[in-house]
Amino acid sequence: MTTSAASLPAALRPRQVRNWFGVAPFFIFALLFLILPTFNIVVGAFRNTDGHTTLENIGKLFSPSIRGAFWISIELSLLTAVLGCVIGFLIAAAISLGDLPRPLRNGILTFSGVASNFAGVPLAFAFIATLGRLGFVTMLLRNWFGINLYGSGFNIVSFLGLALTYLYFQIPLMVLIITPALDGLRREWREAAESLGASGFQYWRLVALPVLWPSLLGTLALLFANAFGAVATAIALTGSSLSIAPIVLFAQIRGDVLNDPHLGYAIAFAMIVLTGIANGIYILLRMRAERWVK
């Protein structure tokens, strides 16, 4: 007696099996490079060097030095997230709602896609070569305009310098995320508002911004998580001169003096919690924004 393919359970049909094989590399990659490492960090945060369960590592997170590093990281992430949202929103509004040439829009979106993923050592080197003590822009301002950036207190290896560097990928990321939301604003909404006598300011305050508000807040949370988790750029640019959470984590895991891997696991665990909350807020607000567009 033979069994037809239609009578087999859906999970056992040949086509379904092939589909599961197709997505298997994704699940294997996520398991090896995301789930298992995260599980190892969580377990290590609650273990001591002898392998016993303890809360000592979590308690050390509230020491003045580590608490101060987290606070600086939060300030840096909030600053670059807010500035990235404001500047990126203005750029996205110009290319989406303004009467700009279509090729300019495509060029800006293409550049944003590249710049939003340009980070780490190459980005740090680019800013040192541009705004370092002997950088191109630094020397240009000094020789042509008599402006001494470093004489006025600016330093690329500082909080402000790192914030400027982060904005290089924060602004393009905002442009990429908010442009589809701006494209979702229907022309009929503005025409209806204008037919009722609303000004441009009233349209944005009463119609457009309430619709865009979930997307704006969600993107703000995403940019915060993006900046808070940036490690390679901060280490390559500032080294150990600026005490932020990723650099303190690196010192605990790989440092020769401050070498406490389990404290490093605890710091990483705290960073995972904070970035997870920010990403969770982004996902919830993004779902709400998509319902508005529909």
Side-chain angles (χ1 to χ4, degrees), residues 248-264:
V248 173
L249 168 62
F250 184 82
Q252 297 295 338
I253 297 293
R254 299 290 300 274
D256 297 328
V257 179
L258 301 174
N259 187 8
D260 188 352
H262 290 280
L263 177 57

Side-chain angles (χ1 to χ4, degrees), residues 45-70:
F46 295 93
R47 294 284 178 88
N48 56 21
T49 55
D50 298 326
H52 299 146
T53 303
T54 180
L55 294 175
E56 182 182 359
N57 300 317
I58 303 299
K60 291 180 180 179
L61 295 178
F62 297 94
S63 63
S65 59
I66 297 179
R67 188 173 65 246
F70 269 92

Side-chain angles (χ1 to χ4, degrees), residues 18-52:
R18 289 196 301 269
N19 291 339
W20 279 108
F21 272 114
V23 298
F26 167 77
F27 289 107
I28 294 173
F29 181 86
L31 178 66
L32 294 178
F33 295 97
L34 180 63
I35 299 174
L36 290 181
T38 302
F39 178 77
N40 183 58
I41 289 173
V42 174
V43 171
F46 295 93
R47 294 284 178 88
N48 56 21
T49 55
D50 298 326
H52 299 146

Side-chain angles (χ1 to χ4, degrees), residues 9-291:
L12 298 179
R13 294 175 188 173
R15 185 174 181 179
Q16 293 291 335
V17 173
R18 289 196 301 269
N19 291 339
W20 279 108
F21 272 114
V23 298
F26 167 77
F27 289 107
I28 294 173
F29 181 86
L31 178 66
L32 294 178
F33 295 97
L34 180 63
I35 299 174
L36 290 181
T38 302
F39 178 77
N40 183 58
I41 289 173
V42 174
V43 171
F46 295 93
R47 294 284 178 88
N48 56 21
T49 55
D50 298 326
H52 299 146
T53 303
T54 180
L55 294 175
E56 182 182 359
N57 300 317
I58 303 299
K60 291 180 180 179
L61 295 178
F62 297 94
S63 63
S65 59
I66 297 179
R67 188 173 65 246
F70 269 92
W71 182 245
I72 294 175
S73 293
I74 292 173
E75 289 180 336
L76 178 65
S77 301
L78 281 176
L79 176 63
T80 58
V82 171
L83 291 178
C85 279
V86 173
I87 300 174
F89 178 80
L90 294 177
I91 295 174
I95 65 174
S96 180
L97 305 177
D99 297 327
L100 297 178
R102 187 75 180 182
L104 180 61
R105 169 193 168 97
N106 295 335
I108 292 176
L109 291 178
T110 301
F111 171 79
S112 297
V114 175
S116 62
N117 292 285
F118 185 66
V121 176
L123 179 60
F125 174 77
F127 268 82
I128 292 173
T130 304
L131 291 172
R133 288 188 177 274
L134 299 177
F136 174 75
V137 173
T138 304
M139 300 304 295
L140 182 68
L141 292 175
R142 180 188 300 175
N143 297 333
W144 287 22
F145 302 98
I147 300 175
N148 188 349
L149 284 179
Y150 284 79
S152 61
F154 174 80
N155 191 347
I156 191 65
V157 187
S158 64
F159 181 91
L160 178 59
L162 188 58
L164 289 175
T165 307
Y166 279 14
L167 285 176
Y168 184 87
F169 56 79
Q170 293 281 72
I171 295 173
L173 182 59
M174 175 65 178
V175 172
L176 288 177
I177 295 176
I178 205 63
T179 297
L182 288 170
D183 291 339
L185 293 176
R186 299 175 184 175
R187 183 177 301 177
E188 294 84 356
W189 297 346
R190 180 152 198 163
E191 292 175 351
E194 291 176 350
S195 65
L196 294 174
S199 62
F201 175 77
Q202 290 175 323
Y203 163 75
W204 277 99
R205 183 172 65 88
L206 300 175
V207 180
L209 285 180
V211 174
L212 294 173
W213 201 240
S215 296
L216 292 173
L217 291 179
T219 308
L220 179 67
L222 181 64
L223 293 183
F224 173 85
N226 190 46
F228 192 82
V231 179
T233 302
I235 294 175
L237 185 67
T238 66
S240 59
S241 61
L242 185 64
S243 180
I244 60 176
I247 293 179
V248 173
L249 168 62
F250 184 82
Q252 297 295 338
I253 297 293
R254 299 290 300 274
D256 297 328
V257 179
L258 301 174
N259 187 8
D260 188 352
H262 290 280
L263 177 57
Y265 289 149
I267 296 173
F269 174 70
M271 293 180 63
I272 290 173
V273 171
L274 288 175
T275 54
I277 292 174
N279 283 310
I281 293 173
Y282 166 73
I283 293 173
L284 292 176
L285 292 175
R286 187 73 177 179
M287 293 172 59
R288 181 177 179 182
E290 290 175 352
R291 288 200 301 268

